[in-house]
Amino acid sequence: MKLRHNFKNLKIWQKSVDLAVKVYEITKSFLAEEKFGITSQMRRSSVGVPSNIAEGSARNSTKAFSNCLDISLGESFELETQAIISQRAGILEEEDFETLSRDLSEVQKMIIGFQSSLESTPS
């Protein structure tokens, strides 16, 4: 199967990997009792964002790639929800929440923009 895009060259993939690394760094300070709770959920969601972008890049149709981007966007909204819950529960520091929210918003806008450009390009 021919790759449509080299995912490692996609800025959207690079930014979402940076976001996942940031989530790992931030959640290191979470309580040990949260290891299998919100920490695990946030890490899984954050890794899902670039993983689905990479998977989509290997698809042989724009529709299939767009579907993977939909999943990636969904993962980003899951992560946003988990960050909000963590912040409101007092687990996530306000400064980390603000940073994460800003970076998440940027990645979400990039996913939506990339998806729109894919869908407007003839296959």
Side-chain angles (χ1 to χ4, degrees):
M1 182 183 310
K2 184 181 178 204
L3 289 178
R4 292 183 52 82
H5 298 277
N6 181 342
F7 66 89
K8 292 179 241 170
N9 293 332
L10 294 172
K11 186 140 181 98
I12 187 173
W13 179 83
Q14 295 166 1
K15 286 277 192 187
S16 60
V17 166
D18 291 344
L19 176 66
V21 169
K22 189 172 287 184
V23 167
Y24 268 77
E25 290 169 356
I26 288 171
T27 56
K28 278 182 190 176
S29 66
F30 283 15
L31 300 170
E33 64 198 45
E34 288 300 330
K35 182 178 179 185
F36 300 108
I38 200 77
T39 301
S40 176
Q41 289 289 334
M42 288 180 73
R43 288 178 173 184
R44 244 191 329 267
S45 295
S46 71
V47 168
V49 176
S51 297
N52 282 292
I53 293 167
E55 180 182 344
S57 73
R59 301 297 179 171
N60 61 359
S61 75
T62 300
K63 184 177 180 182
F65 196 173
S66 183
N67 184 55
C68 287
L69 291 171
D70 271 339
I71 295 167
S72 185
L73 187 62
E75 294 276 4
S76 76
F77 285 116
E78 283 183 34
L79 177 58
E80 184 175 8
T81 298
Q82 294 153 1
I84 290 167
I85 292 167
S86 297
Q87 188 264 339
R88 289 179 61 182
I91 300 166
L92 181 61
E93 298 290 328
E94 185 64 33
E95 183 179 327
D96 289 334
F97 175 75
E98 293 300 326
T99 300
L100 206 52
S101 294
R102 184 181 60 246
D103 292 350
L104 255 169
S105 179
E106 181 182 6
V107 167
Q108 289 165 343
K109 288 174 188 172
M110 290 176 78
I111 292 170
I112 292 166
F114 186 59
Q115 193 171 30
S116 293
S117 72
L118 260 184
E119 291 170 354
S120 67
T121 305
S123 298

